[in-house]
Amino acid sequence: MALAAKTLAESRHHRISSGEVYAALDPRMIIQPPPPSTTPTLRDWIERWLTLKIDVAASTHAEYARLLRHRVIADLGDIPVDQISRFDHLDPWKAGLAKDLAAASVHKHWAVLSLVMRDVVPHYRADNPLDRPLGQRGNGLPRLTPYRAYFLTTEEAQILLDACPEQIHPLIRAALGTGMRLGELLGLRVGSVHLDGPLPTVRVEQTLQGDGSFAEPKTQASRRSVTLTGSLTELFAGLIHRRRRSDLVFAAPRHGPWNAHNLRQRFWYPAISAAQRCPEHPPAPSSPRAARTAASTCDCPTYLYQRPRFHDLRHSHVAFLIDADWDFYAIQRRLGHASIKTTFDIYGHLLGYGDEQHLSKLELRLPTAPLRDERRSRPADP
């Protein structure tokens, strides 16, 4: 065979490759290139996953797509899904996210990518690399700092209402009086307000999403009736007077649906800033830009000491209910919580553990401190 190869090369004046020599002498010796990989890249898998992900609300799907295309595909999209490893890819990616994003956003990116990689198993790999490693307590994600809810007192709620412009004044009153979420209030239509009968109610039947679309409540428990006090009944009566059933109860100034971001930027945040300024001791901002959020620092009770979120109006409503001795099961149904455990986890600390009668009985069972003190001060026997 070596002689035949030499003869062939000389016949072609050595203008032949080794592969052509082997192919001419024995076609079985041709070195075939490896077959192309059939494993998709993470980019291709994510697009397929998003196309087939039809079991979530449109707003949730849009949020998944935003997160995945923003920092997942951009950073990891070219890697085949079967080659993604925690050491080489996920841990450095996680560290990069932590430098640029808040801890909650890092957790959200990790959770969504984990959903994507969970569906890779068992088609292209045997494990999900985002699962918590065996023997470890967590995934090494940055520690979350939970938001501490701001429970407004009646006096603080009045300060806030007095600072609100007329465009959102009824909305703030309704939020404090019903505990409804912002999206539920902005999606409320006239036909869902029922003021006739002994118990006037509003029916939560749709919500306004962040993208401006309307959707049904996420859970069956969220679809509920919320009873109204006398003052709220008067408020809603004025809001729906001579209006069509399909009209929004809380419409934007141009009568269309609100954009929640614009509502906060143009009306809510300025109202909060105004409520944080004491009339007698106004703040001295360092610049015109700082004047928009400058707050007073005196001890007067005429302004807010913290900056509440809109959702804190819902928390404050629950505090009012608990102070009015509402049953926790009734509170759960009013808020639309699927489980009473959720209600207790969030608001259980507001309960008074032990009334005056129970405390009096406890007092009778506690030893008295003076007895021991008298023994110590008694003079020794001669």
Side-chain angles (χ1 to χ4, degrees):
M1 182 177 292
L3 182 59
K6 178 181 178 184
T7 303
L8 179 60
E10 290 176 347
S11 66
R12 296 198 183 181
H13 305 287
H14 298 280
R15 294 176 181 175
I16 187 172
S17 65
S18 59
E20 291 174 322
V21 171
Y22 289 128
L25 297 178
D26 187 353
R28 294 174 300 176
M29 299 181 64
I30 299 176
I31 301 176
Q32 299 290 343
S37 174
T38 59
T39 304
T41 62
L42 183 58
R43 173 184 288 102
D44 295 337
W45 182 261
I46 285 175
E47 295 301 337
R48 179 182 186 275
W49 186 85
L50 287 172
T51 301
L52 300 179
K53 192 66 174 176
I54 59 174
D55 60 341
V56 295
S59 59
T60 302
H61 190 278
E63 179 67 2
Y64 285 169
R66 183 187 70 83
L67 293 172
L68 291 170
R69 289 170 178 156
H70 179 227
R71 288 298 299 265
V72 179
I73 289 180
D75 297 344
L76 306 172
D78 294 332
I79 307 171
V81 292
D82 63 341
Q83 297 181 21
I84 296 176
S85 71
R86 178 179 289 264
F87 180 80
D88 293 323
H89 306 111
L90 296 178
D91 284 344
W93 174 70
K94 174 180 60 182
L97 289 180
K99 292 181 180 179
D100 303 331
L101 305 175
S105 295
V106 178
H107 280 256
K108 189 180 295 185
H109 279 79
W110 188 273
V112 175
L113 180 55
S114 182
L115 290 177
V116 173
M117 293 300 296
R118 183 183 64 185
D119 290 344
V120 173
V121 180
H123 307 292
Y124 296 105
R125 59 185 301 150
D127 66 322
N128 181 354
L130 286 95
D131 284 344
R132 178 174 58 86
L134 196 64
Q136 295 189 18
R137 300 181 62 181
N139 272 310
L141 298 172
R143 185 181 298 274
L144 291 171
T145 303
Y147 176 83
R148 296 188 179 275
Y150 185 5
F151 298 94
L152 296 167
T153 65
T154 301
E155 294 75 18
E156 289 173 327
Q158 188 62 56
I159 293 172
L160 175 59
L161 274 175
D162 292 343
C164 287
E166 61 179 359
Q167 292 92 336
I168 64 169
H169 194 277
L171 178 67
I172 304 306
R173 280 190 62 192
L176 285 167
T178 65
M180 293 170 62
R181 304 175 179 91
L182 177 59
E184 294 171 344
L185 288 167
L186 299 184
L188 184 66
R189 297 191 183 274
V190 172
S192 297
V193 180
H194 307 282
L195 302 183
D196 298 329
L199 279 179
T201 61
V202 294
R203 179 73 181 164
V204 179
E205 297 177 309
Q206 70 173 9
T207 63
L208 179 64
Q209 305 294 308
D211 60 0
S213 63
F214 294 95
E216 294 188 356
K218 283 189 173 182
T219 65
Q220 188 61 34
S222 296
R223 185 184 291 274
R224 66 197 188 278
S225 294
V226 181
T227 53
L228 303 176
T229 63
S231 60
L232 279 179
T233 301
E234 295 179 3
L235 170 68
F236 276 95
L239 291 171
I240 68 174
H241 183 60
R242 293 185 178 180
R243 298 181 64 188
R244 297 175 298 178
R245 289 179 54 85
S246 59
D247 288 346
L248 293 171
V249 176
F250 300 102
R254 295 185 179 180
H255 308 292
W258 278 99
N259 178 294
H261 176 75
N262 289 344
L263 186 152
R264 289 187 175 92
Q265 293 293 330
R266 295 180 58 193
F267 299 102
W268 173 253
Y269 293 142
I272 296 301
S273 296
Q276 287 195 292
R277 300 186 185 107
C278 175
E280 297 183 6
H281 307 94
S286 57
S287 66
R289 184 175 182 178
R292 290 181 293 180
T293 57
S296 297
T297 57
C298 60
D299 294 329
C300 298
T302 55
Y303 72 99
L304 299 184
Y305 294 93
Q306 300 182 54
R307 292 183 64 85
R309 305 172 304 169
F310 193 95
H311 201 72
D312 286 323
L313 303 182
R314 177 175 169 89
H315 296 321
S316 301
H317 176 73
V318 178
F320 298 154
L321 296 178
I322 293 175
D323 197 46
D325 296 326
W326 275 53
D327 177 76
F328 247 65
Y329 179 67
I331 294 176
Q332 174 209 345
R333 297 188 62 184
R334 187 174 181 87
L335 296 181
H337 288 163
S339 168
I340 198 169
K341 180 180 182 300
T342 304
T343 313
F344 267 105
D345 288 346
I346 300 175
Y347 305 110
H349 67 284
L350 297 178
L351 289 172
Y353 294 99
D355 55 23
E356 184 177 354
Q357 181 181 2
H358 290 112
L359 291 174
S360 299
K361 291 181 178 179
L362 173 63
E363 183 69 31
L364 295 175
R365 287 158 176 78
L366 294 176
T368 57
L371 180 62
R372 187 172 184 180
D373 294 340
E374 291 175 1
R375 289 178 179 175
R376 287 184 175 181
S377 59
R378 184 182 304 170
D381 294 335

